[in-house]
Amino acid sequence: MGAFSPQKPFDKLPFTTRNLDRIHHRGPDAQGFYVDDHAMLGFRRLAILDLAGGGQPLYSEDEQIVVLINGEIYNHHELRQRLADHHRFRSRVDGEVLVHLYEERGLDFVNELRGMFAFALYDRKKRRLVLGRDRAGQKPMFYQWSQGSLRFASEIKPLLQDGDKPAVSRAALAEYLRFGYVPSPRTILEGIHKLPAGSVLVADAGTTPRTIDYWKLRFSRDDGRTVPPREAEQWCKDLRSTLSSAVKMRLESEVPMGFLLSGGVDSASVFALGVGGLDKRRAQAFTIGFRGAPIDESEAAAEVTRRYEAKHRIIHLERSEATSLDEILHRVEEPVSTDALLPTACVFEAVSRAKVTTVLSGEGSDELFAGYTKFARATRDPELERVGPLERYLRHEEFVFTAEERATLLGEDIVDPRFDELEREARELDPLSQMLLLETRLRLPDRINLRLDRTSMAHSIEARAPFMDHGVMEFAATLPHAVRTGPNFNKHALRHAMRDALPEVVLSARKAPFHAPDTWFTDAGQDEALLGPDAIAEAGLVKPEPVQALRARARAGDRAAQERIFSLYVLHAWHRAFYRRLCA
């Protein structure tokens, strides 16, 4: 975290160790500070590389460039070798390459980075601060610009000064109801912003901070052509090679490493490509099952680990063992209407108990290879032929509200034109490419990665996702749909690419939802405490009457109403667990 006052010196220190302690879980191993009249930078370190000598901040030779970085730069060896002729390195830590790359290339240096990261770079000579976030948005960055001063942090909590009570943003509430999360650059709180994925924020003396996009994943219109078998085979070979490279790049660690293994083809592919790069005694896989759940993939996961003779931990949870939703939402900091929050949190609790610090996961595959059933439904729905890309995309999404429902809940129709440019880009594409574009620009960074980062870092665990390597993402964006999905939307390219590395039980399995049984999330008492008329009125987020009408429909078995009630339940659980607790 840090603060920057480009025009005038600080009157007093902008934050204390108490603020930094609020993100102790992100870096329990050490802390470091840099302070001058215009900047204060503070860091909590999770030691992965150069355990003894990799403390931060990091400095240039003349100490005029100061850097903090959260995450990993996977191509740091290649960059270090190139820079070593002209620069002196003080450590073996990967993030030190940022200092010297910036000296060589200025703001363009970020284009050379391959990894997951959020960084702050302070240029003392130019009195400039640069904040950056990786291309897929795997690592977070929040900021405030107020009265000529910029404050930033990896989470929202450190930005909440004692006595501050930022309002809940009405525009963000509308977007939460529309998407099930709040897309960048908004957050649910007024005045606090998320730096969008693939962008940098530059604050110079005499100017308002500006955001610059340095990368966006692009899709081309697919003509639906039939792909000859030989060409399809080559696409699959290239996919495996590209993914294998991304996995191997993420195996560097000086602390224990493991794999998240659900039994599906995504995590199994990452495991199969990565386990050979580790000593078998170091390779561990973690699988979570839920007693009472209708689907259990643990046996499929076990068959994968048996093939590779790796250590496998299967954890079957009872409801009593699960972390409460309130505790999870306090960690996540924003409402996210997904039933995957609980199982993801439980996985990382198990990983933490095993004293594993880094894990590889399969997140990002469904978003690139159209693995969710909503892709097939939305692209084959004749009712959606004449609607816009966003409406098509959201029509089959879970836990979201229509425009009419949002207006009824909020008492007004809040329309924001900020998605117009994205819709214009999407209109040039075929329906499936439209959905993939919107999925990777919106949901992947601000829902999937929000969940993955907060639930892992809550236990001081670094989660690495090879499918979100930008080389893999760019390759996947070029795949013909005939190869990507196959006729049955079953991630044909990935399954075919991995056919000799995985057992048939994994290759032939349909995608299984990753969530705990529905009854684990709510009970009658909690439902009334959060969504009863008095509770809704007291929170003041939405109007009580339409909520009670939805509750009645949900009790009568209306599935759409049940999904919407779950979304409202999460919103009000967040309000109780996070907003009232920290902003009261």
Side-chain angles (χ1 to χ4, degrees), residues 135-165:
R135 294 167 177 83
Q138 294 173 81
K139 286 298 172 185
M141 177 67 78
F142 296 90
Y143 67 93
Q144 291 173 303
W145 172 253
S146 177
Q147 299 178 335
S149 180
L150 180 70
R151 299 176 70 239
F152 62 90
S154 293
E155 295 185 7
I156 292 174
K157 296 181 190 76
L159 299 179
L160 300 176
Q161 301 275 38
D162 293 340
D164 283 356
K165 188 178 180 181

Side-chain angles (χ1 to χ4, degrees), residues 327-472:
E327 184 177 343
I328 297 169
L329 288 167
H330 180 74
R331 299 170 184 170
V332 172
E333 301 187 313
E334 292 194 86
V336 186
S337 60
T338 169
D339 48 7
L341 273 177
L342 178 61
T344 308
C346 291
V347 166
F348 287 115
E349 287 177 2
V351 173
S352 177
R353 288 194 296 270
K355 302 187 183 306
V356 169
T357 308
T358 57
V359 295
L360 269 64
S361 77
E363 266 85 1
S365 173
D366 287 310
E367 291 72 23
L368 294 171
F369 300 104
Y372 300 119
T373 57
K374 67 181 180 183
F375 290 108
R377 293 200 304 266
T379 53
R380 294 169 176 173
D381 188 341
E383 294 184 6
L384 301 181
E385 290 179 0
R386 293 181 176 83
V387 304
L390 261 178
E391 185 176 348
R392 173 190 288 272
Y393 171 70
L394 291 169
R395 185 72 65 88
H396 289 277
E397 183 72 357
E398 294 180 308
F399 311 126
V400 300
F401 295 81
T402 66
E404 182 179 354
E405 290 169 334
R406 297 195 302 270
T408 301
L409 283 165
L410 296 173
E412 57 182 326
D413 184 16
I414 301 176
V415 178
D416 193 321
R418 72 190 184 97
F419 300 105
D420 290 353
E421 182 179 347
L422 182 57
E423 281 220 83
R424 283 193 293 272
E425 182 179 350
R427 283 194 185 96
E428 301 301 316
L429 304 174
D430 61 278
L432 180 54
S433 294
Q434 288 179 358
M435 294 197 68
L436 293 168
L437 174 74
L438 297 170
E439 185 83 354
T440 53
R441 294 279 186 89
L442 298 172
R443 190 173 178 272
L444 185 63
D446 293 324
R447 176 173 159 173
I448 302 298
N449 283 329
L450 175 71
R451 167 175 58 85
L452 185 63
D453 174 80
R454 293 312 187 289
T455 53
S456 61
M457 293 304 292
H459 296 284
S460 308
I461 295 166
E462 182 175 273
R464 302 173 176 179
F467 283 105
M468 285 187 257
D469 180 275
H470 74 271
V472 174

Side-chain angles (χ1 to χ4, degrees), residues 82-101:
R82 201 178 79 208
L83 293 163
D85 290 343
H86 305 288
H87 298 277
R88 178 172 57 85
F89 284 83
R90 304 184 183 196
S91 73
R92 293 184 293 106
V93 74
D94 56 302
E96 194 174 354
V97 297
L98 272 69
V99 174
H100 305 307
L101 273 176

Side-chain angles (χ1 to χ4, degrees), residues 262-302:
S262 69
V265 68
D266 308 328
S267 60
S269 296
V270 170
F271 176 81
L273 293 172
V275 69
L278 298 176
D279 185 316
K280 288 182 180 179
R281 292 169 297 178
R282 294 183 60 206
Q284 298 187 65
F286 297 84
T287 301
I288 289 284
F290 297 90
R291 300 195 192 281
I295 299 172
D296 186 351
E297 294 184 290
S298 59
E299 183 50 42

Side-chain angles (χ1 to χ4, degrees), residues 215-233:
W215 185 85
K216 287 184 183 293
L217 187 63
R218 307 283 184 183
F219 289 83
S220 300
R221 186 176 185 86
D222 191 288
D223 59 9
R225 70 183 177 90
T226 301
V227 178
R230 183 175 295 180
E231 182 186 344
E233 183 69 27

